[in-house]
Amino acid sequence: MGLELYLDLLSQPCRSIYIFARSNNIPFEFKHVELFKDSVLGKRPAAGSGAEQPRAGPSNSEGTGKVSLLKKVPALKDGDFTLAECTAILLYLSRKYNTPDHWYPSDIQKRARVDEYLSWHHANIRANAPKTMWIKVLIPLFTGQPLPSEKLQEVMEGLSASLKQFEERFLQDKAFIIGSEISLADLVAIVELMQPVGVGCDIFEDRPRLMEWRRRVEDAVGKELFFQAHEMLLNIKELSNIQIDPQLKEQLAPVLMKMLK
Amino acid sequence: MGLELYLDLLSQPCRALYIFARSNNIPFEFKRVQLMKGQHKTEEFRKVNMLMKVPALRDGSFTLAESIAILLYLTQKFKTPDHWYPSDLQKRARVDEYLSWQHANIRMKGSKVFLTKVLLPILTGQPLSAEKLEFVIEDLNVILKQFEEKFLQDKPFIAGSEISLADLVALVELMQPVGAGYNLFEERPKLAEWRRRVEEAVGKELFQEAHEEIMNIKNLTADQFAPELLESFKQQFLKLISQN
Protein backbone atom coordinates (compact mmCIF):
# COMPACT_ATOMS: atom_id res chain seq x y z
CA MET A 1 0.00 0.00 0.00
CA GLY A 2 1.58 3.20 -1.16
CA LEU A 3 1.00 6.84 -0.45
CA GLU A 4 -2.66 7.82 -0.10
CA LEU A 5 -3.90 11.38 -0.24
CA TYR A 6 -7.40 12.09 0.98
CA LEU A 7 -8.63 15.13 -0.90
CA ASP A 8 -11.69 17.07 -1.94
CA LEU A 9 -10.73 19.49 -4.68
CA LEU A 10 -13.32 21.98 -3.51
CA SER A 11 -10.96 22.58 -0.60
CA GLN A 12 -8.09 24.98 -1.14
CA PRO A 13 -5.43 23.13 0.86
CA CYS A 14 -6.37 19.95 -0.98
CA ARG A 15 -5.74 21.62 -4.31
CA SER A 16 -2.28 22.80 -3.34
CA ILE A 17 -1.35 19.25 -2.33
CA TYR A 18 -2.89 17.75 -5.46
CA ILE A 19 -1.12 20.19 -7.75
CA PHE A 20 2.18 19.77 -5.93
CA ALA A 21 2.08 15.97 -6.02
CA ARG A 22 1.01 15.77 -9.67
CA SER A 23 3.40 18.50 -10.79
CA ASN A 24 6.27 16.59 -9.20
CA ASN A 25 5.12 13.19 -10.46
CA ILE A 26 4.77 11.88 -6.94
CA PRO A 27 2.95 8.55 -7.13
CA PHE A 28 -0.12 8.50 -4.91
CA GLU A 29 -3.57 7.03 -4.64
CA PHE A 30 -6.15 9.75 -4.89
CA LYS A 31 -8.75 9.06 -2.23
CA HIS A 32 -11.60 11.23 -3.25
CA VAL A 33 -13.52 12.69 -0.36
CA GLU A 34 -16.71 14.50 -1.13
CA LEU A 35 -17.23 16.71 1.84
CA PHE A 36 -20.83 17.48 1.15
CA LYS A 37 -21.91 14.00 0.31
CA ASP A 38 -20.16 11.68 2.70
CA SER A 39 -21.54 11.74 6.17
CA VAL A 40 -18.74 12.85 8.40
CA LEU A 41 -19.62 10.25 10.93
CA GLY A 42 -17.88 6.97 10.56
CA LYS A 43 -16.66 7.22 6.98
CA ARG A 44 -13.47 9.07 7.61
CA PRO A 45 -10.01 7.69 7.00
CA ALA A 46 -8.16 6.93 10.20
CA ALA A 47 -5.94 9.93 9.73
CA GLY A 48 -4.24 11.12 12.83
CA SER A 49 -1.32 10.54 15.11
CA GLY A 50 -2.13 6.88 15.47
CA ALA A 51 -5.67 7.55 16.64
CA GLU A 52 -8.07 4.81 15.70
CA GLN A 53 -11.23 6.82 15.44
CA PRO A 54 -12.03 9.21 12.70
CA ARG A 55 -10.18 12.42 13.20
CA ALA A 56 -12.17 15.22 14.65
CA GLY A 57 -9.48 17.72 15.21
CA PRO A 58 -6.18 18.42 13.59
CA SER A 59 -6.70 19.56 10.06
CA ASN A 60 -7.01 22.86 8.36
CA SER A 61 -9.28 25.10 10.23
CA GLU A 62 -11.11 27.99 8.74
CA GLY A 63 -11.06 29.76 12.01
CA THR A 64 -13.89 28.03 13.75
CA GLY A 65 -13.37 24.82 15.61
CA LYS A 66 -17.08 24.17 15.46
CA VAL A 67 -16.98 23.48 11.76
CA SER A 68 -14.29 20.88 12.36
CA LEU A 69 -16.72 18.26 11.08
CA LEU A 70 -15.56 19.13 7.62
CA LYS A 71 -11.95 19.41 8.44
CA LYS A 72 -10.95 15.85 7.62
CA VAL A 73 -9.16 16.88 4.51
CA PRO A 74 -6.50 17.04 3.43
CA ALA A 75 -5.06 13.93 5.00
CA LEU A 76 -2.09 11.77 4.11
CA LYS A 77 -1.56 8.10 4.80
CA ASP A 78 1.82 6.58 4.15
CA GLY A 79 1.80 3.03 5.44
CA ASP A 80 1.08 3.38 9.16
CA PHE A 81 1.91 7.03 9.18
CA THR A 82 -0.95 9.50 8.97
CA LEU A 83 -0.69 13.25 8.74
CA ALA A 84 -3.01 16.25 8.57
CA GLU A 85 -2.46 19.97 7.91
CA CYS A 86 -1.62 21.19 4.43
CA THR A 87 1.74 22.77 5.29
CA ALA A 88 2.92 19.66 7.10
CA ILE A 89 1.86 17.44 4.19
CA LEU A 90 3.52 19.63 1.56
CA LEU A 91 6.76 19.73 3.53
CA TYR A 92 6.68 15.96 4.13
CA LEU A 93 6.21 15.31 0.43
CA SER A 94 8.93 17.75 -0.60
CA ARG A 95 11.38 16.04 1.72
CA LYS A 96 10.41 12.44 1.09
CA TYR A 97 10.40 12.78 -2.67
CA ASN A 98 13.32 15.18 -2.91
CA THR A 99 11.46 17.66 -5.03
CA PRO A 100 13.42 20.45 -6.80
CA ASP A 101 15.05 22.85 -4.39
CA HIS A 102 13.02 25.92 -5.33
CA TRP A 103 9.85 24.50 -3.79
CA TYR A 104 11.38 24.76 -0.31
CA PRO A 105 14.86 26.22 -0.78
CA SER A 106 17.82 25.02 1.18
CA ASP A 107 19.12 28.59 1.21
CA ILE A 108 18.36 29.72 4.76
CA GLN A 109 17.02 33.16 3.89
CA LYS A 110 14.88 32.01 0.98
CA ARG A 111 13.50 29.22 3.11
CA ALA A 112 12.69 31.72 5.84
CA ARG A 113 10.66 33.72 3.32
CA VAL A 114 8.61 30.64 2.47
CA ASP A 115 8.08 29.87 6.18
CA GLU A 116 7.15 33.47 6.78
CA TYR A 117 4.48 33.41 4.11
CA LEU A 118 3.11 29.99 5.11
CA SER A 119 2.71 31.27 8.67
CA TRP A 120 1.20 34.66 7.81
CA HIS A 121 -1.20 33.01 5.40
CA HIS A 122 -3.25 31.37 8.16
CA ALA A 123 -4.47 34.46 9.93
CA ASN A 124 -4.72 36.58 6.83
CA ILE A 125 -5.53 35.26 3.38
CA ARG A 126 -6.91 32.03 4.81
CA ALA A 127 -8.99 33.87 7.36
CA ASN A 128 -10.97 35.69 4.68
CA ALA A 129 -10.82 34.02 1.27
CA PRO A 130 -12.70 30.87 2.30
CA LYS A 131 -15.55 32.89 3.76
CA THR A 132 -16.53 34.11 0.32
CA MET A 133 -17.60 30.59 -0.52
CA TRP A 134 -19.39 30.07 2.75
CA ILE A 135 -21.30 33.28 2.40
CA LYS A 136 -22.08 33.21 -1.30
CA VAL A 137 -22.79 29.55 -1.80
CA LEU A 138 -22.76 27.29 1.21
CA ILE A 139 -24.77 29.23 3.73
CA PRO A 140 -27.66 29.85 1.35
CA LEU A 141 -27.44 26.21 0.28
CA PHE A 142 -27.45 24.77 3.77
CA THR A 143 -29.72 27.13 5.58
CA GLY A 144 -32.06 28.25 2.83
CA GLN A 145 -31.39 31.80 3.91
CA PRO A 146 -30.63 34.42 1.26
CA LEU A 147 -27.10 35.65 0.69
CA PRO A 148 -26.17 38.16 3.41
CA SER A 149 -24.63 40.91 1.28
CA GLU A 150 -23.46 43.02 4.21
CA LYS A 151 -21.47 40.12 5.54
CA LEU A 152 -19.97 39.53 2.10
CA GLN A 153 -18.93 43.18 1.93
CA GLU A 154 -17.20 42.84 5.29
CA VAL A 155 -15.33 39.76 4.16
CA MET A 156 -14.28 41.35 0.85
CA GLU A 157 -12.92 44.34 2.73
CA GLY A 158 -10.90 42.09 5.00
CA LEU A 159 -9.66 40.19 1.99
CA SER A 160 -8.70 43.43 0.22
CA ALA A 161 -6.61 44.47 3.17
CA SER A 162 -4.81 41.12 3.16
CA LEU A 163 -4.28 41.31 -0.60
CA LYS A 164 -2.70 44.73 -0.22
CA GLN A 165 -0.26 43.35 2.31
CA PHE A 166 0.35 40.35 0.10
CA GLU A 167 1.31 42.54 -2.84
CA GLU A 168 3.30 45.09 -0.86
CA ARG A 169 5.09 42.88 1.59
CA PHE A 170 5.32 39.39 0.11
CA LEU A 171 5.19 39.64 -3.65
CA GLN A 172 6.52 43.16 -4.20
CA ASP A 173 8.22 43.48 -7.59
CA LYS A 174 9.38 39.90 -7.73
CA ALA A 175 8.18 37.22 -10.10
CA PHE A 176 7.35 34.92 -7.19
CA ILE A 177 7.29 35.29 -3.42
CA ILE A 178 10.89 34.21 -2.91
CA GLY A 179 12.25 35.68 -6.11
CA SER A 180 12.67 34.21 -9.53
CA GLU A 181 11.24 30.76 -8.90
CA ILE A 182 7.98 29.34 -7.64
CA SER A 183 7.87 27.86 -4.15
CA LEU A 184 5.31 26.29 -1.82
CA ALA A 185 4.37 29.81 -0.74
CA ASP A 186 3.01 30.76 -4.18
CA LEU A 187 1.11 27.50 -4.49
CA VAL A 188 -0.54 27.80 -1.08
CA ALA A 189 -1.46 31.42 -1.85
CA ILE A 190 -2.90 30.88 -5.30
CA VAL A 191 -5.29 28.06 -4.44
CA GLU A 192 -6.70 30.16 -1.65
CA LEU A 193 -7.20 33.15 -3.92
CA MET A 194 -9.03 31.01 -6.45
CA GLN A 195 -11.78 30.35 -3.93
CA PRO A 196 -13.42 33.77 -4.25
CA VAL A 197 -12.94 33.54 -8.03
CA GLY A 198 -14.86 30.28 -8.06
CA VAL A 199 -17.85 31.91 -6.41
CA GLY A 200 -17.88 34.96 -8.61
CA CYS A 201 -15.71 37.41 -6.66
CA ASP A 202 -12.89 37.89 -9.12
CA ILE A 203 -10.20 39.44 -7.00
CA PHE A 204 -7.75 39.41 -9.88
CA GLU A 205 -9.91 41.70 -12.00
CA ASP A 206 -8.57 45.01 -10.75
CA ARG A 207 -5.17 43.80 -9.73
CA PRO A 208 -2.93 43.46 -12.80
CA ARG A 209 0.24 42.66 -10.86
CA LEU A 210 -1.54 39.85 -9.04
CA MET A 211 -2.96 38.60 -12.32
CA GLU A 212 0.54 38.49 -13.83
CA TRP A 213 1.76 36.50 -10.85
CA ARG A 214 -1.15 34.12 -11.17
CA ARG A 215 -0.27 33.50 -14.83
CA ARG A 216 3.32 32.75 -13.88
CA VAL A 217 2.21 30.30 -11.19
CA GLU A 218 -0.14 28.53 -13.61
CA ASP A 219 2.67 28.22 -16.16
CA ALA A 220 5.11 26.96 -13.56
CA VAL A 221 2.87 24.09 -12.40
CA GLY A 222 1.33 23.45 -15.80
CA LYS A 223 -1.80 25.21 -17.04
CA GLU A 224 -3.65 21.99 -17.73
CA LEU A 225 -3.01 20.61 -14.27
CA PHE A 226 -3.97 23.91 -12.68
CA PHE A 227 -7.31 24.01 -14.46
CA GLN A 228 -8.01 20.38 -13.84
CA ALA A 229 -7.48 20.92 -10.13
CA HIS A 230 -9.85 23.89 -10.19
CA GLU A 231 -12.51 22.39 -12.39
CA MET A 232 -14.91 21.52 -9.58
CA LEU A 233 -14.53 24.91 -7.98
CA LEU A 234 -15.06 26.78 -11.23
CA ASN A 235 -18.24 24.80 -11.77
CA ILE A 236 -19.50 25.46 -8.30
CA LYS A 237 -23.00 26.07 -9.50
CA GLU A 238 -23.23 22.30 -9.87
CA LEU A 239 -22.99 22.15 -6.12
CA SER A 240 -26.53 23.47 -5.83
CA ASN A 241 -27.71 20.28 -7.45
CA ILE A 242 -25.77 18.02 -5.17
CA GLN A 243 -27.70 15.93 -2.73
CA ILE A 244 -26.39 17.15 0.55
CA ASP A 245 -26.29 14.52 3.24
CA PRO A 246 -29.31 15.48 5.38
CA GLN A 247 -27.51 14.61 8.60
CA LEU A 248 -24.70 16.95 7.64
CA LYS A 249 -27.17 19.66 6.74
CA GLU A 250 -28.83 19.34 10.10
CA GLN A 251 -25.54 19.52 11.96
CA LEU A 252 -24.14 22.43 10.03
CA ALA A 253 -27.17 24.68 9.75
CA PRO A 254 -26.98 26.10 13.30
CA VAL A 255 -23.22 26.58 13.04
CA LEU A 256 -23.58 28.42 9.75
CA MET A 257 -26.38 30.60 11.12
CA LYS A 258 -23.97 31.64 13.82
CA MET A 259 -21.43 32.62 11.19
CA LEU A 260 -23.99 34.99 9.77
CA LYS A 261 -24.04 37.08 12.93
CA MET B 1 25.58 44.56 14.33
CA GLY B 2 24.54 41.08 15.34
CA LEU B 3 21.21 39.37 15.63
CA GLU B 4 18.36 41.56 16.90
CA LEU B 5 15.06 40.21 18.18
CA TYR B 6 12.23 42.70 18.47
CA LEU B 7 9.97 41.48 21.26
CA ASP B 8 7.23 42.34 23.68
CA LEU B 9 7.02 39.58 26.27
CA LEU B 10 3.31 40.21 26.72
CA SER B 11 2.98 38.56 23.31
CA GLN B 12 2.90 34.78 23.21
CA PRO B 13 5.01 34.25 20.08
CA CYS B 14 7.60 36.67 21.45
CA ARG B 15 7.93 34.54 24.55
CA ALA B 16 8.48 31.41 22.51
CA LEU B 17 11.32 33.12 20.67
CA TYR B 18 12.84 34.61 23.78
CA ILE B 19 12.82 31.29 25.63
CA PHE B 20 14.15 29.40 22.61
CA ALA B 21 17.03 31.80 22.00
CA ARG B 22 18.03 32.06 25.64
CA SER B 23 17.65 28.34 26.26
CA ASN B 24 20.00 27.64 23.36
CA ASN B 25 22.45 30.38 24.29
CA ILE B 26 21.88 32.15 20.99
CA PRO B 27 23.48 35.58 21.22
CA PHE B 28 21.05 38.34 20.40
CA GLU B 29 20.19 41.92 21.23
CA PHE B 30 16.80 42.20 22.92
CA LYS B 31 14.95 45.08 21.32
CA ARG B 32 11.94 45.86 23.42
CA VAL B 33 8.83 46.93 21.50
CA GLN B 34 6.05 47.90 23.87
CA LEU B 35 2.79 47.26 22.08
CA MET B 36 0.73 49.20 24.58
CA LYS B 37 2.83 52.27 23.94
CA GLY B 38 2.40 51.85 20.20
CA GLN B 39 6.10 51.23 19.62
CA HIS B 40 5.23 48.78 16.87
CA LYS B 41 3.90 51.66 14.82
CA THR B 42 7.04 53.78 14.78
CA GLU B 43 8.87 54.53 11.54
CA GLU B 44 11.95 52.86 12.96
CA PHE B 45 10.18 49.61 13.66
CA ARG B 46 8.39 49.65 10.31
CA LYS B 47 11.81 49.38 8.70
CA VAL B 48 12.24 46.07 10.49
CA ASN B 49 8.72 44.81 9.87
CA MET B 50 6.32 46.72 7.66
CA LEU B 51 3.52 44.51 8.91
CA MET B 52 4.03 46.30 12.26
CA LYS B 53 3.89 43.17 14.33
CA VAL B 54 6.08 41.49 16.87
CA PRO B 55 8.10 39.36 16.97
CA ALA B 56 10.52 40.44 14.27
CA LEU B 57 14.13 39.57 13.56
CA ARG B 58 16.92 41.55 12.04
CA ASP B 59 20.13 39.78 11.12
CA GLY B 60 22.39 42.21 9.32
CA SER B 61 20.31 43.40 6.41
CA PHE B 62 17.95 40.44 6.59
CA THR B 63 14.63 41.05 8.30
CA LEU B 64 12.02 38.43 9.10
CA ALA B 65 8.54 38.34 10.62
CA GLU B 66 6.32 35.49 11.91
CA SER B 67 7.49 33.61 14.99
CA ILE B 68 7.37 30.19 13.34
CA ALA B 69 9.62 31.38 10.51
CA ILE B 70 11.99 33.00 13.00
CA LEU B 71 12.17 29.89 15.19
CA LEU B 72 12.95 27.71 12.17
CA TYR B 73 15.55 30.22 10.97
CA LEU B 74 17.27 30.14 14.35
CA THR B 75 17.29 26.34 14.53
CA GLN B 76 19.02 26.22 11.17
CA LYS B 77 21.43 29.08 11.62
CA PHE B 78 22.56 28.13 15.11
CA LYS B 79 22.32 24.38 14.60
CA THR B 80 20.33 23.80 17.77
CA PRO B 81 19.94 20.24 19.12
CA ASP B 82 17.99 17.98 16.79
CA HIS B 83 14.99 17.40 19.04
CA TRP B 84 13.81 20.99 18.57
CA TYR B 85 13.02 20.30 14.92
CA PRO B 86 13.86 16.63 14.39
CA SER B 87 15.57 15.55 11.22
CA ASP B 88 13.52 12.35 11.32
CA LEU B 89 10.94 12.82 8.57
CA GLN B 90 7.92 11.67 10.54
CA LYS B 91 8.80 13.42 13.79
CA ARG B 92 9.42 16.62 11.90
CA ALA B 93 6.05 16.24 10.21
CA ARG B 94 4.39 15.99 13.65
CA VAL B 95 6.00 19.26 14.66
CA ASP B 96 4.94 20.92 11.37
CA GLU B 97 1.43 19.57 11.86
CA TYR B 98 1.10 21.17 15.28
CA LEU B 99 2.71 24.46 14.25
CA SER B 100 0.20 24.73 11.42
CA TRP B 101 -2.90 23.67 13.35
CA GLN B 102 -2.25 25.94 16.29
CA HIS B 103 -2.75 29.24 14.44
CA ALA B 104 -6.50 28.99 14.17
CA ASN B 105 -6.98 26.89 17.28
CA ILE B 106 -4.92 27.17 20.45
CA ARG B 107 -3.58 30.58 19.47
CA MET B 108 -6.89 32.03 18.43
CA LYS B 109 -9.01 30.64 21.24
CA GLY B 110 -6.43 31.34 23.93
CA SER B 111 -6.08 34.93 22.75
CA LYS B 112 -9.83 35.43 22.80
CA VAL B 113 -10.04 34.44 26.45
CA PHE B 114 -7.30 36.95 27.22
CA LEU B 115 -8.96 39.71 25.21
CA THR B 116 -12.38 39.09 26.71
CA LYS B 117 -11.23 38.79 30.29
CA VAL B 118 -8.52 41.43 30.51
CA LEU B 119 -8.09 43.79 27.59
CA LEU B 120 -11.61 44.58 26.46
CA PRO B 121 -13.04 45.51 29.86
CA ILE B 122 -10.11 47.90 30.34
CA LEU B 123 -10.33 49.37 26.86
CA THR B 124 -14.10 49.70 26.70
CA GLY B 125 -14.64 50.63 30.32
CA GLN B 126 -17.48 48.14 30.31
CA PRO B 127 -17.72 45.43 32.93
CA LEU B 128 -16.76 41.95 31.86
CA SER B 129 -19.64 40.09 30.27
CA ALA B 130 -19.91 36.75 32.05
CA GLU B 131 -21.82 35.26 29.16
CA LYS B 132 -19.21 36.26 26.61
CA LEU B 133 -16.44 34.93 28.80
CA GLU B 134 -18.19 31.61 29.25
CA PHE B 135 -18.56 31.36 25.52
CA VAL B 136 -14.88 31.92 24.71
CA ILE B 137 -13.80 29.62 27.52
CA GLU B 138 -16.00 26.85 26.18
CA ASP B 139 -14.45 27.37 22.77
CA LEU B 140 -11.00 27.04 24.28
CA ASN B 141 -12.01 23.95 26.23
CA VAL B 142 -13.01 22.18 23.03
CA ILE B 143 -9.61 22.94 21.54
CA LEU B 144 -7.79 21.84 24.70
CA LYS B 145 -9.53 18.51 24.45
CA GLN B 146 -8.37 18.12 20.87
CA PHE B 147 -4.87 19.09 21.89
CA GLU B 148 -4.75 16.44 24.59
CA GLU B 149 -6.39 13.72 22.54
CA LYS B 150 -4.83 14.24 19.15
CA PHE B 151 -1.50 15.94 19.69
CA LEU B 152 -0.23 15.08 23.13
CA GLN B 153 -1.99 11.74 23.69
CA ASP B 154 0.07 9.61 26.09
CA LYS B 155 3.42 10.96 25.03
CA PRO B 156 5.64 13.13 27.20
CA PHE B 157 5.90 15.69 24.40
CA ILE B 158 4.10 16.32 21.11
CA ALA B 159 6.76 14.73 18.90
CA GLY B 160 7.53 11.93 21.33
CA SER B 161 10.07 11.62 24.07
CA GLU B 162 11.74 14.99 23.69
CA ILE B 163 10.66 18.61 23.66
CA SER B 164 10.35 20.33 20.28
CA LEU B 165 9.29 23.71 18.93
CA ALA B 166 5.71 22.46 19.01
CA ASP B 167 5.63 22.14 22.80
CA LEU B 168 7.21 25.54 23.35
CA VAL B 169 4.84 27.29 20.96
CA ALA B 170 1.89 25.51 22.57
CA LEU B 171 2.75 26.30 26.15
CA VAL B 172 3.42 30.01 25.73
CA GLU B 173 0.00 30.35 24.11
CA LEU B 174 -1.70 28.52 26.98
CA MET B 175 -0.06 30.86 29.47
CA GLN B 176 -2.03 33.78 28.04
CA PRO B 177 -5.42 32.67 29.41
CA VAL B 178 -3.63 31.55 32.58
CA GLY B 179 -2.26 35.06 33.03
CA ALA B 180 -5.77 36.35 32.50
CA GLY B 181 -6.96 34.23 35.42
CA TYR B 182 -8.31 31.12 33.71
CA ASN B 183 -6.27 28.36 35.25
CA LEU B 184 -6.83 25.75 32.60
CA PHE B 185 -4.19 23.44 34.08
CA GLU B 186 -6.06 23.05 37.34
CA GLU B 187 -8.35 20.23 36.34
CA ARG B 188 -6.21 18.81 33.59
CA PRO B 189 -3.50 16.73 35.28
CA LYS B 190 -2.07 15.36 32.04
CA LEU B 191 -1.67 18.86 30.67
CA ALA B 192 -0.21 20.08 33.95
CA GLU B 193 2.39 17.28 33.85
CA TRP B 194 3.28 18.20 30.30
CA ARG B 195 3.65 21.82 31.32
CA ARG B 196 6.06 20.85 34.11
CA ARG B 197 8.13 18.82 31.67
CA VAL B 198 8.32 21.70 29.19
CA GLU B 199 9.32 24.18 31.92
CA GLU B 200 12.04 21.87 33.09
CA ALA B 201 13.31 21.22 29.59
CA VAL B 202 13.80 24.93 28.88
CA GLY B 203 14.76 25.87 32.42
CA LYS B 204 12.22 26.81 35.09
CA GLU B 205 13.89 30.11 35.90
CA LEU B 206 14.00 31.22 32.29
CA PHE B 207 10.37 30.20 31.79
CA GLN B 208 9.24 32.15 34.80
CA GLU B 209 11.28 35.18 33.84
CA ALA B 210 9.75 35.21 30.37
CA HIS B 211 6.26 35.02 31.89
CA GLU B 212 6.66 37.57 34.62
CA GLU B 213 4.83 40.36 32.81
CA ILE B 214 1.92 38.27 31.58
CA MET B 215 1.43 36.73 35.00
CA ASN B 216 0.98 40.22 36.43
CA ILE B 217 -1.35 41.37 33.71
CA LYS B 218 -4.35 41.56 36.03
CA ASN B 219 -2.82 44.78 37.40
CA LEU B 220 -3.14 46.39 34.00
CA THR B 221 -4.94 49.72 33.85
CA ALA B 222 -6.03 51.93 30.99
CA ASP B 223 -3.43 54.58 31.72
CA GLN B 224 -0.67 52.16 30.80
CA PHE B 225 -1.78 52.43 27.18
CA ALA B 226 -0.68 55.35 25.05
CA PRO B 227 -3.87 57.44 25.26
CA GLU B 228 -4.03 58.21 21.55
CA LEU B 229 -4.08 54.46 20.83
CA LEU B 230 -6.87 53.42 23.17
CA GLU B 231 -9.58 53.76 20.59
CA SER B 232 -7.73 51.92 17.81
CA PHE B 233 -6.78 49.07 20.14
CA LYS B 234 -10.38 48.80 21.22
CA GLN B 235 -11.62 48.59 17.63
CA GLN B 236 -8.92 46.11 16.67
CA PHE B 237 -9.73 43.77 19.55
CA LEU B 238 -13.48 44.05 19.15
CA LYS B 239 -13.01 42.96 15.55
CA LEU B 240 -10.77 40.04 16.55
CA ILE B 241 -13.31 38.84 19.08
CA SER B 242 -16.10 38.87 16.56
CA GLN B 243 -14.21 36.73 14.04
CA ASN B 244 -14.85 33.00 14.05
Side-chain angles (χ1 to χ4, degrees):
Chain A
M1 186 174 61
L3 178 70
E4 297 174 351
L5 294 176
Y6 291 80
L7 309 169
D8 180 335
L9 296 182
L10 276 179
S11 142
Q12 311 86 297
C14 289
R15 291 195 296 271
S16 62
I17 291 169
Y18 179 75
I19 292 171
F20 183 72
R22 289 278 317 274
S23 184
N24 284 285
N25 297 309
I26 292 171
F28 69 95
E29 200 184 329
F30 182 34
K31 297 292 221 178
H32 192 205
V33 174
E34 288 180 283
L35 292 173
F36 301 107
K37 282 190 186 173
D38 302 337
S39 168
V40 293
L41 307 167
K43 280 193 195 168
R44 278 295 161 264
S49 329
E52 301 221 339
Q53 289 127 3
R55 212 154 209 208
S59 45
N60 291 327
S61 172
E62 278 167 0
T64 158
K66 297 188 203 80
V67 202
S68 64
L69 297 169
L70 295 185
K71 306 304 166 52
K72 310 288 179 134
V73 289
L76 168 152
K77 201 158 189 277
D78 197 0
D80 290 330
F81 181 66
T82 57
L83 188 63
E85 292 298 313
C86 176
T87 300
I89 294 172
L90 287 169
L91 290 173
Y92 178 84
L93 293 177
S94 72
R95 287 165 186 144
K96 180 161 180 175
Y97 296 91
N98 282 310
T99 52
D101 189 69
H102 63 79
W103 284 111
Y104 193 59
S106 40
D107 172 81
I108 193 177
Q109 289 188 5
K110 284 191 173 154
R111 176 171 291 195
R113 286 279 162 252
V114 178
D115 290 331
E116 188 187 55
Y117 180 76
L118 293 177
S119 174
W120 179 83
H121 176 84
H122 283 273
N124 294 275
I125 300 282
R126 186 140 175 77
N128 285 302
K131 289 184 182 166
T132 54
M133 187 190 228
W134 284 103
I135 290 172
K136 259 199 132 181
V137 176
L138 300 176
I139 287 178
L141 190 63
F142 275 78
T143 63
Q145 302 278 321
L147 156 67
S149 51
E150 239 174 65
K151 202 72 190 170
L152 182 63
Q153 170 102 331
E154 208 182 290
V155 166
M156 290 309 288
E157 271 164 20
L159 185 54
S160 279
S162 292
L163 287 172
K164 192 165 185 284
Q165 283 189 339
F166 178 73
E167 284 196 72
E168 290 177 5
R169 172 65 171 70
F170 293 96
L171 191 55
Q172 298 172 343
D173 292 321
K174 298 167 277 158
F176 298 98
I177 293 170
I178 57 159
S180 56
E181 286 186 286
I182 192 174
S183 71
L184 293 177
D186 304 279
L187 188 53
V188 164
I190 193 85
V191 294
E192 204 69 54
L193 295 180
M194 289 302 288
Q195 207 78 346
V197 173
V199 299
C201 302
D202 193 349
I203 50 116
F204 293 100
E205 217 161 39
D206 296 318
R207 296 181 176 91
R209 197 161 61 159
L210 217 58
M211 189 63 221
E212 280 306 307
W213 164 77
R214 170 183 163 181
R215 268 193 264 273
R216 284 191 291 269
V217 174
E218 288 178 16
D219 282 341
V221 302
K223 267 191 147 65
E224 215 176 284
L225 170 61
F226 187 86
F227 282 112
Q228 193 225 340
H230 286 87
E231 205 178 333
M232 264 181 95
L233 174 70
L234 296 172
N235 290 309
I236 196 74
K237 288 193 208 65
E238 302 295 307
L239 189 61
S240 327
N241 303 325
I242 281 182
Q243 289 281 20
I244 311 263
D245 185 307
Q247 210 175 0
L248 184 62
K249 209 172 182 177
E250 209 180 280
Q251 278 169 330
L252 276 185
V255 175
L256 294 176
M257 288 305 290
K258 242 179 175 168
M259 269 180 105
L260 281 178
K261 271 196 319 182
Chain B
M1 185 175 62
L3 180 71
E4 298 173 342
L5 292 179
Y6 290 74
L7 310 168
D8 181 334
L9 295 182
L10 281 176
S11 141
Q12 308 90 303
C14 288
R15 294 197 293 270
L17 263 172
Y18 179 74
I19 292 171
F20 183 73
R22 289 278 316 275
S23 183
N24 284 285
N25 297 309
I26 291 170
F28 70 95
E29 198 182 332
F30 184 111
K31 297 288 227 178
R32 192 170 187 209
V33 177
Q34 285 185 276
L35 297 173
M36 291 193 303
K37 303 281 184 226
Q39 290 174 353
H40 54 303
K41 297 185 191 235
T42 62
E43 268 310 303
E44 202 192 311
F45 182 66
R46 285 184 104 199
K47 289 190 196 127
V48 180
N49 184 12
M50 72 170 271
L51 296 168
M52 296 187 285
K53 296 230 162 126
V54 286
L57 165 152
R58 182 154 60 184
D59 195 2
S61 57
F62 181 66
T63 57
L64 188 63
E66 296 294 314
S67 69
I68 307 294
I70 298 173
L71 284 167
L72 293 173
Y73 177 83
L74 295 178
T75 59
Q76 280 180 89
K77 179 154 184 178
F78 295 92
K79 302 195 179 355
T80 51
D82 189 71
H83 63 80
W84 283 110
Y85 195 54
S87 42
D88 173 81
L89 188 66
Q90 292 187 4
K91 283 194 174 147
R92 179 168 287 198
R94 285 283 159 253
V95 177
D96 289 333
E97 193 185 47
Y98 180 76
L99 293 179
S100 173
W101 179 82
Q102 61 96 27
H103 285 275
N105 295 280
I106 296 270
R107 175 153 174 69
M108 181 173 288
K109 310 299 179 181
S111 297
K112 279 188 173 179
V113 169
F114 177 68
L115 288 178
T116 306
K117 212 167 186 242
V118 176
L119 289 185
L120 281 174
I122 292 174
L123 290 171
T124 59
Q126 307 273 320
L128 166 63
S129 156
E131 201 190 315
K132 284 197 177 123
L133 182 61
E134 200 185 309
F135 185 72
V136 293
I137 284 184
E138 256 320 292
D139 256 8
L140 178 58
N141 287 342
V142 169
I143 297 301
L144 288 174
K145 194 163 183 286
Q146 286 177 9
F147 177 71
E148 283 196 77
E149 291 177 2
K150 308 297 178 186
F151 289 98
L152 198 51
Q153 297 175 349
D154 291 317
K155 300 166 280 164
F157 298 99
I158 292 168
S161 54
E162 286 183 283
I163 191 175
S164 72
L165 293 177
D167 305 279
L168 183 54
V169 165
L171 184 55
V172 295
E173 290 290 343
L174 294 180
M175 294 305 290
Q176 206 78 349
V178 170
Y182 175 46
N183 194 354
L184 54 96
F185 292 104
E186 211 161 45
E187 282 163 24
R188 295 182 174 87
K190 202 162 70 160
L191 220 55
E193 277 306 308
W194 164 78
R195 170 185 170 178
R196 261 188 280 274
R197 283 192 289 270
V198 176
E199 287 183 23
E200 265 170 45
V202 301
K204 266 188 144 69
E205 212 174 285
L206 170 61
F207 188 86
Q208 269 156 31
E209 184 212 317
H211 285 86
E212 202 177 321
E213 273 184 72
I214 194 66
M215 293 308 284
N216 285 312
I217 202 67
K218 286 209 232 47
N219 299 323
L220 185 67
T221 47
D223 60 356
Q224 286 171 268
F225 286 86
E228 68 276 13
L229 295 176
L230 278 172
E231 188 57 35
S232 67
F233 272 128
K234 184 174 97 174
Q235 294 308 324
Q236 182 190 338
F237 296 141
L238 282 172
K239 197 158 184 236
L240 254 167
I241 283 279
S242 71
Q243 276 172 8
N244 298 321

